[in-house]
Amino acid sequence: MKKMETPISRNQLFVASCLALLVTSLSFGIRAGILSRLGVEFELNNAQLATIASTAFWGFPLAVIIGGMVVDIIGMKRLLLLAFVFHLLGILLTVFATGYWTLFISTLLIGIANGTVEAACNPLVATIYADDKTTKLNHFHLWFPGGIVIGTLLVYFLDKAGIGWQVQVGLMAIPTLLYGFLFNRLSFPVTERVASGITTDQMYRSLLNPLFIVMIVLMFGTAITELFTGQWIDVLLKNVSDNAILLLTIETGIMVIGRGFAGPVVHRFSPTGVLLLSAILSAAGLFMLGNYTGNMLFLGAVVFGMGVCYFWPTMLGFVSENLPETGAVGLNLMGGAGMFAVSVYTYFMGGYYDKLLGNHLPEGTAVAQATAEQLNEAKKLAGPEVLNVTLLIPVVLIVAFTVLFLYMRNKRTATSGI
């Protein structure tokens, strides 16, 4: 007797995917909140802490690109169970860390797990919601800023309660075990590319499509605008506002709400229209953050959050809808390119920020010899300057997305006229 196939439950697959992404974002939020304590407890210097923190960022693009290449071969289910194992090992190794190398390896494992989740879940969501890809990718990706908010709040309240960082990290095991259990028992479809009969050779050839290359380049800009600014708001504006970290909370909160209501927005404006509006709002928000003070900074955070909230998932949705032959590799090259661009830009802007600090100190005064008052005044001037340099990126994106919007509109008109 032929064995009956288990039906695909796309709602349960989507819930499990959101849980997996929640673990990814919790790892960012919680680790950011406990990093300074790890430095004190394990007697680590700033260079060692920076190396540990950055490990997650290069582990992510490595895993997302390799995962995109093998997901069609081994299947989305095996890839996600592999992510589960990496997440669990990384969490346990962090909880029982004994020093620099255990923290380094645990962060690398979590970074690889995070990239593996994206490598499998982006094509999974695009496959199970082939009729509404951009909207559902936005709904899926709301759990990234959402998890960061949850993670930072957990650290804040558990700290107040006197609960140690080991417990805080250990809490990530709960959603990890849940998504591992769900993915293990659920049936998975093949990826949309495989189901449509597009060969592997066709998929790799399609990566040379000029439109895909343009989208990769634009992904550099959208990712830097969103993630670099989000990571650095607290550092750059700490001496401009007494509540710089609150600006990040406001921005990520707006991103959660915006992605939750992505459906009507995307259907009203189209993906290219949304990307153009996002670039305009991002530029306006960055300008306000870099040039205003006081309560206007909070308005800037709101405007900026509205701008960047749709960037990442809508870029993926556009590629999935308009270049479906690029398959999982295309989606994951986009994600890997974005994260790689952020890491490179952060490296160079870190050096630029140090140079600006030196420029704003009294002549002949080195940063190491400056008084606290001199350094605070230099930071107050240098932070907004970094944001104003970064402002050039969304300004260029406005022009690029205007051209893309007109190109896609003319393409649709030509197609409908045939």
Side-chain angles (χ1 to χ4, degrees):
M1 185 177 176
K2 187 179 179 181
K3 185 180 177 181
M4 290 182 63
E5 289 187 7
T6 309
I8 305 296
S9 174
R10 71 177 189 172
N11 288 338
Q12 289 186 46
L13 284 171
F14 186 71
V15 168
S17 299
C18 292
L19 280 170
L21 190 62
L22 175 62
V23 177
T24 292
S25 54
L26 281 174
S27 72
F28 279 91
I30 291 176
R31 191 171 290 273
I34 67 170
L35 201 60
S36 59
R37 269 169 292 164
L38 294 177
V40 173
E41 183 160 336
F42 296 107
E43 299 179 348
L44 304 173
N45 58 39
N46 286 330
Q48 288 174 312
L49 284 176
T51 303
I52 290 168
S54 65
T55 301
F57 284 97
W58 57 262
F60 183 102
L62 180 72
V64 80
I65 291 171
I66 293 173
M69 292 177 177
V70 303
V71 64
D72 290 325
I73 300 167
I74 69 172
M76 292 180 280
K77 180 169 185 169
R78 288 193 183 95
L79 200 59
L80 283 163
L81 291 177
L82 195 60
F84 162 73
V85 171
F86 281 132
H87 263 146
L88 202 57
L89 286 174
I91 291 166
L92 291 173
L93 199 55
T94 304
V95 171
F96 298 105
T98 56
Y100 174 78
W101 282 110
T102 45
L103 287 172
F104 178 90
I105 295 168
S106 69
T107 307
L108 177 60
L109 287 172
I110 288 175
I112 291 171
N114 293 346
T116 306
V117 165
E118 286 260 349
C121 285
N122 283 326
L124 175 60
V125 172
T127 298
I128 60 178
Y129 293 102
D131 54 337
D132 202 10
K133 296 176 186 178
T134 300
T135 297
K136 296 309 291 186
L137 281 166
N138 269 282
H139 290 168
F140 168 58
H141 279 277
L142 75 80
W143 288 99
F144 190 79
I148 291 175
V149 172
I150 293 168
T152 50
L153 288 176
L154 273 174
V155 170
Y156 176 81
F157 287 113
L158 291 175
D159 277 351
K160 292 289 186 184
I163 295 171
W165 63 265
Q166 291 91 342
V167 174
Q168 296 172 24
V169 173
L171 286 173
M172 288 195 294
I174 298 171
T176 300
L177 291 169
L178 280 173
Y179 90 70
F181 169 76
L182 285 172
F183 281 140
N184 186 55
R185 61 182 286 272
L186 290 170
S187 294
F188 280 67
V190 295
T191 60
E192 186 183 24
R193 192 272 299 177
V194 173
S196 61
I198 297 169
T199 66
T200 303
D201 185 49
Q202 287 175 300
M203 177 177 68
Y204 281 104
R205 280 207 311 271
S206 69
L207 300 178
L208 298 176
N209 185 313
L211 180 58
F212 180 73
I213 294 170
V214 166
M215 295 308 292
I216 285 283
V217 174
L218 293 179
M219 190 69 173
F220 293 161
T222 57
I224 290 169
T225 303
E226 174 189 342
L227 296 177
F228 168 79
T229 309
Q231 288 170 53
W232 275 63
I233 277 182
D234 184 42
V235 174
L236 297 176
L237 299 182
K238 183 170 282 188
N239 291 82
V240 179
S241 170
D242 293 332
N243 297 293
I245 194 64
L246 188 57
L247 296 173
L248 176 60
T249 307
I250 290 170
E251 180 215 327
T252 49
I254 292 292
M255 289 176 70
V256 173
I257 296 167
R259 288 178 181 179
F261 290 96
V265 175
V266 171
H267 293 146
R268 172 68 180 83
F269 295 105
S270 81
T272 48
V274 169
L275 289 170
L276 176 56
L277 286 172
S278 295
I280 293 169
L281 289 171
S282 297
L286 258 186
F287 177 82
M288 295 171 76
L289 289 170
N291 294 278
Y292 294 165
T293 56
N295 291 333
M296 288 299 289
L297 282 173
F298 296 101
L299 179 59
V302 170
V303 174
F304 183 72
M306 290 168 61
V308 297
C309 74
Y310 296 121
F311 266 156
W312 190 283
T314 304
M315 290 290 285
L316 297 181
F318 177 89
V319 168
S320 186
E321 288 181 4
N322 295 282
L323 298 159
E325 65 279 5
T326 60
V329 169
L331 281 179
N332 291 314
L333 277 176
M334 289 283 287
M339 200 62 79
F340 175 74
V342 173
S343 64
V344 172
Y345 189 77
T346 300
Y347 173 79
F348 283 108
M349 292 310 286
Y352 180 64
Y353 180 59
D354 286 339
K355 181 183 174 183
L356 288 174
L357 287 179
N359 292 343
H360 290 301
L361 289 171
E363 191 174 346
T365 305
V367 173
Q369 280 78 47
T371 65
E373 186 179 346
Q374 289 173 333
L375 199 55
N376 286 340
E377 192 59 33
K379 287 179 178 179
K380 185 184 290 187
L381 296 170
E385 285 186 46
V386 171
L387 291 179
N388 283 324
V389 169
T390 305
L391 171 61
L392 293 173
I393 296 175
V395 169
V396 171
L397 288 175
I398 292 172
V399 177
F401 285 132
T402 299
V403 173
L404 182 64
F405 176 80
L406 295 173
Y407 169 76
M408 293 304 295
R409 188 175 68 177
N410 291 338
K411 187 177 178 182
R412 284 193 300 271
T413 303
T415 304
S416 62
I418 292 174

